[in-house]
């Protein structure tokens, strides 16, 4: 849901409604809503284009995890866990990230 939160934040900072963003980007308002609610994940290029429609330039860095030894060890450690353990750990991490996000947006308001 990070993409949806990022899109919503960009739209609000630009002072646009979902309808205005949809019009500026040539996208349907309902699709903008689904992106923001996390019902549909936009591609990185779509997210970048929507950011531009809000007057922002989004840049992304994609790194090959196999080039770093520590990344391989993290992958091996994750694969050693059961699916349930990975699920629980992922939910815990998501809850922590959500809490940090809410604190950051509260401070920025």
């Amino acid at each position: 849901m990070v993409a949806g939160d990022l899109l919503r934040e960009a739209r609000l900072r630009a002072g646009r409604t979902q309808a205005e963003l949809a019009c500026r980007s040539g996208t349907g308002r309902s699709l903008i809503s689904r992106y923001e609610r996390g019902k549909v994940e936009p591609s990185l290029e779509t997210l970048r284009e929507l950011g531009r429609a809000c007057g922002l330039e989004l840049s992304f860095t994609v790194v090959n995890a196999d080039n770093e030894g520590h990344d391989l060890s993290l992958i091996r450690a994750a694969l050693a866990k059961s699916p349930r353990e990975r699920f629980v750990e992922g939910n815990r991490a998501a809850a922590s990230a959500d809490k940090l996000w809410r604190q950051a947006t509260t401070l920025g308001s």
Side-chain angles (χ1 to χ4, degrees):
M1 177 117 165
V2 172
D5 291 335
L6 183 62
L7 177 58
R8 183 174 188 277
E9 182 70 21
R11 179 180 61 77
L12 292 175
R13 285 181 185 233
R16 302 203 192 297
T17 64
Q18 287 180 344
E20 290 169 334
L21 177 56
C23 183
R24 287 184 59 97
S25 65
T27 304
R29 191 208 59 78
S30 65
L31 185 55
I32 299 293
S33 174
R34 286 184 287 169
Y35 286 153
E36 289 186 7
R37 289 182 288 129
K39 300 295 181 187
V40 177
E41 283 291 321
S43 69
L44 292 178
E45 190 54 40
T46 298
L47 189 57
R48 179 178 283 147
E49 289 174 15
L50 292 170
R52 284 183 187 138
C54 293
L56 299 173
E57 184 62 42
L58 302 176
S59 62
F60 305 99
T61 302
V62 179
V63 179
N64 185 351
D66 292 336
N67 288 337
E68 300 290 333
H70 68 276
D71 290 334
L72 285 176
S73 65
L74 291 174
I75 292 169
R76 286 186 186 109
L79 291 175
K81 297 176 183 173
S82 71
R84 184 182 189 310
E85 289 171 321
R86 289 195 303 266
F87 180 79
V88 169
E89 189 175 287
N91 281 342
R92 196 174 307 126
S96 295
D98 186 54
K99 181 179 177 182
L100 288 172
W101 174 260
R102 290 179 194 281
Q103 289 172 347
T105 56
T106 301
L107 292 174
S109 298

